[in-house]
Amino acid sequence: ILDSGLSVSELVRVAWASAGSYRASDMRGGANGARLALAPQKDWAVNNPAEVEKVLGKLGEIRADIGEDKISLADLIVLAGNTAVEQAAADAGVDVEVPFSPGRGDATQAMTDVASFALLEPAADAFRNYYNTASAYRSPTEMLVDRSDQLNLTVPEMTVLIGGMRALDANSGGSKHGVLTDKPGTLGNDFFVNLLDMSTEWRKAGTEGLYEGVDRKSGAVKYTATPVDLIFGSNSELRAVAEVYAYDDAQQRFVEDFVDAWTKVMQLDRFDLKHDL
C-alpha cells in the first residue's frame, strides 16, 4: 500500500469517505459493502469522485495481486486508511499500531438501490471541512454536532478527530482551510497548537463563512479556517479539550486518542464485533 504511489492524505480521505458514511439513526452506511465504489456514493461531491476512482483503481490492482479471495475491497479500503495513519504517526515520531479487524464483504451495484442510498449523501461533513450551502439545513457548527452524533462520538473523540484530520490534510477537495500546519500529511497536534496561539488574530475573510489567521505583528495572513475549525477555540467546553492536545508533551496522547477514535469510526457498522456503539 505504501509503495502504491498514493499519498497518506488520499488514503485517509477515501477510508473516511467509506466508513464515515455511517448513520447511527438508522444504522445505514459505513465501510461494510464497499459501496464507495458504487453509485451513488462514488459520485458524491464530498467524496471527490476523481480521487475515489484513482485510489480504488490502485487498491483494486493491489487486491488482484494478492488474490481477490484473500481480502475484500471493503477491508482493503479500511486497511489502507489504517496504514496511512500509522505512517503519518511515524512521520511525527510516534510508533502506533492501528487495530484492524477483517471480515467485511463487498456489495454489488445490483444490491444497491441508488435512490435509497442517495438519501445518505451528507450536506456537510466537518471532519473533511465540507459544507454545502445549498442543501445544509443548519449552520456549519450545528452540522458538526449532528454528524458527530450520527457517528456516536463523544466530545473528546470529535475534537481529536477534527485536529487529526486537518493535520492529515484530509479536507474534501484538498482545501487548506483549517490545515494549521506546515507539515500536512503528518499526524501531529499542530492544529491545536496553532489554533490557540495568541500571536495569531482571527478575522473574517472576504468570503462568507471563511476566516483568516493573521500574524499580530506583521499583519501577514498565515492560515484560513471555517467556523467548525474556530469553534474549538471559542467554545469553552471544546477549548478545554483542545488545550489538552496543545501542550508540548501532548503528541503521544494525541496520536493514541486519534487512533482510538479513528478505529471506532472504521468499525461502526461491524455489528459482528463486540464493541461499544
PDB file of all heavy atoms in Angstrom, residues 83-96:
ATOM      1  N   THR A  83      -3.140   2.028   7.429  1.00  0.00           N
ATOM      2  CA  THR A  83      -1.726   2.057   7.081  1.00  0.00           C
ATOM      3  C   THR A  83      -1.232   3.494   6.939  1.00  0.00           C
ATOM      4  O   THR A  83      -0.129   3.847   7.382  1.00  0.00           O
ATOM      5  CB  THR A  83      -1.483   1.295   5.763  1.00  0.00           C
ATOM      6  OG1 THR A  83      -1.939  -0.050   5.915  1.00  0.00           O
ATOM      7  CG2 THR A  83      -0.021   1.287   5.387  1.00  0.00           C
ATOM      8  N   ALA A  84      -2.062   4.330   6.322  1.00  0.00           N
ATOM      9  CA  ALA A  84      -1.704   5.740   6.143  1.00  0.00           C
ATOM     10  C   ALA A  84      -1.604   6.456   7.484  1.00  0.00           C
ATOM     11  O   ALA A  84      -0.698   7.271   7.699  1.00  0.00           O
ATOM     12  CB  ALA A  84      -2.745   6.421   5.255  1.00  0.00           C
ATOM     13  N   VAL A  85      -2.514   6.156   8.394  1.00  0.00           N
ATOM     14  CA  VAL A  85      -2.474   6.770   9.726  1.00  0.00           C
ATOM     15  C   VAL A  85      -1.208   6.357  10.466  1.00  0.00           C
ATOM     16  O   VAL A  85      -0.541   7.184  11.108  1.00  0.00           O
ATOM     17  CB  VAL A  85      -3.732   6.396  10.540  1.00  0.00           C
ATOM     18  CG1 VAL A  85      -3.590   6.812  12.006  1.00  0.00           C
ATOM     19  CG2 VAL A  85      -4.972   7.046   9.925  1.00  0.00           C
ATOM     20  N   GLU A  86      -0.856   5.081  10.377  1.00  0.00           N
ATOM     21  CA  GLU A  86       0.378   4.604  11.023  1.00  0.00           C
ATOM     22  C   GLU A  86       1.602   5.312  10.451  1.00  0.00           C
ATOM     23  O   GLU A  86       2.509   5.718  11.193  1.00  0.00           O
ATOM     24  CB  GLU A  86       0.513   3.092  10.836  1.00  0.00           C
ATOM     25  CG  GLU A  86      -0.479   2.274  11.635  1.00  0.00           C
ATOM     26  CD  GLU A  86      -0.340   0.779  11.410  1.00  0.00           C
ATOM     27  OE1 GLU A  86       0.429   0.375  10.518  1.00  0.00           O
ATOM     28  OE2 GLU A  86      -1.002   0.003  12.136  1.00  0.00           O
ATOM     29  N   GLN A  87       1.629   5.480   9.137  1.00  0.00           N
ATOM     30  CA  GLN A  87       2.759   6.151   8.503  1.00  0.00           C
ATOM     31  C   GLN A  87       2.829   7.617   8.918  1.00  0.00           C
ATOM     32  O   GLN A  87       3.906   8.155   9.200  1.00  0.00           O
ATOM     33  CB  GLN A  87       2.642   6.058   6.983  1.00  0.00           C
ATOM     34  CG  GLN A  87       3.792   6.704   6.220  1.00  0.00           C
ATOM     35  CD  GLN A  87       5.127   6.062   6.539  1.00  0.00           C
ATOM     36  OE1 GLN A  87       5.271   4.854   6.471  1.00  0.00           O
ATOM     37  NE2 GLN A  87       6.120   6.881   6.901  1.00  0.00           N
ATOM     38  N   ALA A  88       1.667   8.279   8.956  1.00  0.00           N
ATOM     39  CA  ALA A  88       1.619   9.694   9.350  1.00  0.00           C
ATOM     40  C   ALA A  88       2.061   9.880  10.795  1.00  0.00           C
ATOM     41  O   ALA A  88       2.719  10.871  11.134  1.00  0.00           O
ATOM     42  CB  ALA A  88       0.209  10.237   9.156  1.00  0.00           C
ATOM     43  N   ALA A  89       1.704   8.930  11.665  1.00  0.00           N
ATOM     44  CA  ALA A  89       2.132   8.988  13.062  1.00  0.00           C
ATOM     45  C   ALA A  89       3.641   8.772  13.161  1.00  0.00           C
ATOM     46  O   ALA A  89       4.337   9.469  13.915  1.00  0.00           O
ATOM     47  CB  ALA A  89       1.391   7.948  13.887  1.00  0.00           C
ATOM     48  N   ALA A  90       4.169   7.826  12.397  1.00  0.00           N
ATOM     49  CA  ALA A  90       5.609   7.562  12.387  1.00  0.00           C
ATOM     50  C   ALA A  90       6.379   8.783  11.917  1.00  0.00           C
ATOM     51  O   ALA A  90       7.445   9.114  12.457  1.00  0.00           O
ATOM     52  CB  ALA A  90       5.920   6.362  11.499  1.00  0.00           C
ATOM     53  N   ASP A  91       5.832   9.476  10.928  1.00  0.00           N
ATOM     54  CA  ASP A  91       6.468  10.697  10.426  1.00  0.00           C
ATOM     55  C   ASP A  91       6.491  11.789  11.486  1.00  0.00           C
ATOM     56  O   ASP A  91       7.323  12.700  11.428  1.00  0.00           O
ATOM     57  CB  ASP A  91       5.739  11.205   9.179  1.00  0.00           C
ATOM     58  CG  ASP A  91       5.937  10.288   7.980  1.00  0.00           C
ATOM     59  OD1 ASP A  91       6.887   9.482   7.997  1.00  0.00           O
ATOM     60  OD2 ASP A  91       5.131  10.368   7.031  1.00  0.00           O
ATOM     61  N   ALA A  92       5.567  11.695  12.454  1.00  0.00           N
ATOM     62  CA  ALA A  92       5.523  12.654  13.557  1.00  0.00           C
ATOM     63  C   ALA A  92       6.333  12.163  14.753  1.00  0.00           C
ATOM     64  O   ALA A  92       6.353  12.814  15.806  1.00  0.00           O
ATOM     65  CB  ALA A  92       4.076  12.900  13.970  1.00  0.00           C
ATOM     66  N   GLY A  93       6.979  10.987  14.610  1.00  0.00           N
ATOM     67  CA  GLY A  93       7.826  10.471  15.677  1.00  0.00           C
ATOM     68  C   GLY A  93       7.131   9.578  16.677  1.00  0.00           C
ATOM     69  O   GLY A  93       7.662   9.319  17.754  1.00  0.00           O
ATOM     70  N   VAL A  94       5.938   9.080  16.331  1.00  0.00           N
ATOM     71  CA  VAL A  94       5.185   8.223  17.242  1.00  0.00           C
ATOM     72  C   VAL A  94       4.919   6.884  16.572  1.00  0.00           C
ATOM     73  O   VAL A  94       4.323   6.828  15.485  1.00  0.00           O
ATOM     74  CB  VAL A  94       3.848   8.870  17.660  1.00  0.00           C
ATOM     75  CG1 VAL A  94       3.080   7.937  18.596  1.00  0.00           C
ATOM     76  CG2 VAL A  94       4.075  10.216  18.323  1.00  0.00           C
ATOM     77  N   ASP A  95       5.353   5.814  17.197  1.00  0.00           N
ATOM     78  CA  ASP A  95       5.059   4.473  16.679  1.00  0.00           C
ATOM     79  C   ASP A  95       3.735   4.005  17.257  1.00  0.00           C
ATOM     80  O   ASP A  95       3.560   3.953  18.477  1.00  0.00           O
ATOM     81  CB  ASP A  95       6.168   3.489  17.074  1.00  0.00           C
ATOM     82  CG  ASP A  95       7.465   3.750  16.324  1.00  0.00           C
ATOM     83  OD1 ASP A  95       7.386   4.206  15.168  1.00  0.00           O
ATOM     84  OD2 ASP A  95       8.544   3.528  16.891  1.00  0.00           O
ATOM     85  N   VAL A  96       2.808   3.653  16.394  1.00  0.00           N
ATOM     86  CA  VAL A  96       1.490   3.226  16.851  1.00  0.00           C
ATOM     87  C   VAL A  96       0.953   2.186  15.870  1.00  0.00           C
ATOM     88  O   VAL A  96       1.267   2.214  14.683  1.00  0.00           O
ATOM     89  CB  VAL A  96       0.526   4.435  16.939  1.00  0.00           C
ATOM     90  CG1 VAL A  96       0.238   5.016  15.557  1.00  0.00           C
ATOM     91  CG2 VAL A  96      -0.771   4.057  17.636  1.00  0.00           C
TER      92      VAL A  96
END
